[in-house]
Amino acid sequence: MTHASAASPEILAFGEAMTMFVADTPGPLAEVEHFHRRIAGADTNVAIGLARLGFPVGWLSRVGADSFGDFIRHTLEAEGLDCRHLTSDPTHPTGLLFKARAEGGADPRVEYFRRGSAASRLSPDDTLSVDFGALRHLHATGIPPAVSTSCRELSWHMLDNARAAGASISFDPNLRPSLWASEAEMRETLNAMAARADWVLPGLAEGRRLTGLETPHDIAGYYLDRGARAVIIKLGPEGSYYRGTLAGREESFTQAGFPVAEVVDTVGAGDGFAVGVVSALLDGLSPRGAVRRGNLIGAQAVQVVGDMEGLPDRARLGALEASLPPLTP
């Protein structure tokens, strides 16, 4: 069955996918001779993670009509994503990035080549064939609105139409300060977008930067007061904090993280966390079950090289969760 005749995907993500070259050896990128090719993009990481767990996921974006764009399309389709809304742009290239191999759990250096990319040309016009009425869930991040003015217009269009259609929305701020004209513009825009979402998933440092508040409790309250139903804050190795109202019950708690013997690559940990939380809430799990799954998949993500290689399929996730002790209230 072709995508054109298949049912519209129930879950949709959008943004910029890039071809990534990961250094084979540690050291400055200028001295690395060999790289492995992969794909990168916070939005695609989450889309791939949800698809591996069996959800019908669609991807909306643009790539260049070039070999790197073909590579991204083939990779995403091999992961089970519905790419009917992925456009090949004949006049703008696919974005690239190069990632160093870090040691000792440090964040790797990343160099981007995305200016003028096909994805930076995304706009509301790219949604003309989207059936928002069929949408169950939209995952959004703060990256597309930082990439270009037209991408920002697309982000608002996606959030407003998904909300009007009654779909649930998750929003990960995923701050990219260097892409914004000013700190104030970043804060104002992303806080307004988070207010459109049901589930807001900032890191603690991100929440502090966006709200000016210090504690997880107060940061969560900031977004709950503006319309979010639940706020789940990533605390790094310590785990995560939840505050919100789901199924008519208001609660807040901190869920401990999972110990990791060796951190290989920190990039993608937050995306793995989002995969865990969003998938669990879509599966109907309790907030505690959702946060624990977020911690669990986030811990898996940092143990391998690559942004999404550590994301489990449903069988692997089932085995991991079966080994855990029962949740305590």
Side-chain angles (χ1 to χ4, degrees), residues 7-295:
S8 295
E10 295 179 3
I11 298 172
L12 192 59
F14 66 98
E16 182 176 30
M18 307 175 77
T19 295
M20 173 173 67
F21 293 89
V22 184
D24 279 358
T25 56
L29 283 171
E31 299 175 8
V32 175
E33 293 188 8
H34 301 287
F35 295 81
H36 268 87
R37 184 182 64 172
R38 291 184 167 87
I39 70 166
D43 311 273
T44 47
N45 291 340
V46 176
I48 288 169
L50 293 173
R52 286 184 183 176
L53 295 178
F55 292 97
V57 183
W59 172 245
L60 187 149
S61 188
R62 283 178 171 262
V63 292
D66 49 42
S67 58
F68 296 125
D70 291 343
F71 168 67
I72 288 172
R73 182 183 297 274
H74 297 159
T75 301
L76 296 180
E77 289 181 342
E79 289 285 354
L81 269 65
D82 184 323
C83 290
R84 72 179 73 188
H85 303 304
L86 176 58
T87 300
S88 293
D89 186 327
T91 57
H92 298 88
T94 303
L96 306 177
L97 68 88
F98 292 79
K99 185 166 74 171
R101 178 70 65 88
E103 295 182 296
D107 291 337
R109 176 178 175 80
V110 181
E111 294 187 6
Y112 295 90
F113 298 85
R114 68 179 359 145
R115 187 180 302 275
S117 71
S120 73
R121 313 297 294 184
L122 281 163
S123 76
D125 289 344
D126 290 289
T127 70
L128 295 178
S129 63
V130 174
D131 181 3
F132 285 99
L135 199 61
R136 179 186 177 196
H137 184 79
L138 175 73
H139 180 70
T141 77
I143 298 175
V147 169
S148 69
T149 300
S150 64
C151 282
R152 191 174 311 171
E153 293 170 354
L154 169 71
S155 295
W156 282 120
H157 185 79
M158 297 292 285
L159 291 167
D160 290 344
N161 279 274
R163 194 171 181 89
S168 56
I169 302 172
S170 51
F171 183 78
D172 186 337
N174 242 306
L175 297 190
R176 298 294 189 272
S178 64
L179 297 180
W180 289 91
S182 70
E183 185 89 6
E185 183 181 50
M186 178 180 75
R187 287 198 304 267
E188 180 181 353
T189 303
L190 296 189
N191 285 336
M193 288 184 175
R196 295 281 209 285
D198 298 287
W199 314 325
V200 182
L201 297 90
L204 180 58
E206 290 178 324
R208 287 170 171 167
R209 191 165 184 171
L210 288 171
T211 68
L213 302 171
E214 189 67 21
T215 68
H217 179 272
D218 289 346
I219 293 168
Y222 179 94
Y223 293 113
L224 293 173
D225 289 345
R226 285 157 177 77
R229 293 168 55 202
V231 182
I232 306 98
I233 300 175
K234 293 160 279 192
L235 306 177
E238 290 74 34
S240 48
Y241 173 84
Y242 171 94
R243 183 181 174 193
T245 303
L246 292 176
R249 180 182 177 188
E250 182 176 343
E251 58 181 322
S252 63
F253 57 85
T254 298
Q255 188 82 28
F258 290 88
V260 174
E262 180 184 5
V263 176
V264 175
D265 188 346
T266 59
V267 177
D271 304 328
F273 179 83
V275 169
V277 170
V278 171
S279 67
L281 292 175
L282 293 175
D283 281 343
L285 269 64
S286 69
R288 286 187 182 274
V291 175
R292 183 170 73 166
R293 183 183 287 182
N295 291 346

